[in-house]
Amino acid sequence: MPLPTVILPGYLESAIAYRQLEQSLQQSGFPTLTVPLRRRDWIPTLGGRPVTPILQQLDRTVKQILQQYNASQINLIGHSAGGWISRIYLGEKPYLGRGEVQPSIYCAHPLINTLVTLGTPHISQERWTRWNLDFVKNNYPGAFYKNVRYVCVAGKTIFGVRRRGSWLAYSSYQLTCGKGNTWGDGITPIEAAHLEGAENIVISGVNHSPRSRGIWYGSPEPLKAWMQYLA
């Protein structure tokens, strides 16, 4: 029987944007819940502040689905920032954000069979996100936990150049990996979306966000390319 599956939304995104993906997974036999985030739930994390409120909601959702289906493990899907936040959740190192007194420790990797990251920037040059991403990179480099299957999905859709129509991509890629002239999904460059030791996938023509025009990672056709890796 397919494992229960949890979806963690991307930065400043709400659960409602992932309803189609959730339904598609359910129709394919995967009992699925999306962490019930609202856009305003991200406000305490702005400016590079700790993502503790998101980790807490993720933990509640994981425990809920484990109990609901009497399961010992799940699949975890993290879109965009949800991918690297999921890597914090897997870890056993105390996560103590700036200004926090009580560290968070989840050590959830025994509960996760497969972690899928969709368009996740696993590195960044942007000063507001570097503290959190450096914490992940330094403590859990690459596909860190050998008991977890890491699947990192990138999009090859827009090549960043300094001209109308691709300026946003160029700027976002440059902030993420240090160069704008590269391929990505319009927000995350391919080289930032992959991890050493993971099963790294590139899908052509997918946009970064579920709210984008056209198709994104969770649309029916791209979904076929990575759903096969779920346990």
Side-chain angles (χ1 to χ4, degrees), residues 64-220:
Q64 175 187 341
I65 203 168
L66 286 170
Q67 182 178 23
Q68 184 176 345
Y69 292 96
N70 193 27
S72 59
Q73 285 192 314
I74 66 162
N75 299 309
L76 179 56
I77 300 168
H79 170 237
S80 195
W84 58 258
I85 293 172
S86 295
R87 292 169 64 203
I88 295 176
Y89 180 64
L90 265 59
E92 76 276 1
K93 302 284 186 182
Y95 173 72
L96 187 64
R98 289 172 292 181
E100 291 189 337
V101 178
Q102 186 66 35
S104 302
I105 304 174
Y106 293 100
C107 194
H109 65 91
L111 304 177
I112 311 301
N113 184 289
T114 302
L115 171 64
V116 178
T117 66
L118 305 174
T120 292
H122 291 292
I123 57 173
S124 179
Q125 307 295 318
E126 206 274 322
R127 68 190 184 102
W128 297 116
T129 56
R130 280 195 65 175
W131 186 90
N132 278 308
L133 279 167
D134 284 351
F135 175 87
V136 181
K137 182 179 68 175
N138 294 335
N139 288 295
Y140 315 112
F144 187 76
Y145 289 105
K146 302 310 175 189
N147 59 307
V148 177
R149 186 181 200 181
Y150 291 75
V151 180
C152 299
V153 188
K156 185 179 181 181
T157 310
I158 300 175
F159 188 83
V161 291
R162 295 194 201 186
R163 68 167 181 240
R164 186 176 180 180
S166 55
W167 178 259
L168 172 61
Y170 178 92
S171 300
S172 183
Y173 300 164
Q174 190 171 51
L175 277 172
T176 303
C177 69
K179 63 180 180 182
N181 297 122
T182 189
W183 282 99
D185 62 13
I187 298 294
T188 303
I190 293 172
E191 60 194 85
H194 285 168
L195 288 173
E196 184 177 354
E199 297 184 62
N200 294 312
I201 302 169
V202 176
I203 304 176
S204 297
V206 294
N207 295 301
H208 180 77
S209 170
R211 297 183 186 271
S212 302
R213 287 185 176 182
I215 65 172
W216 80 291
Y217 295 100
S219 298

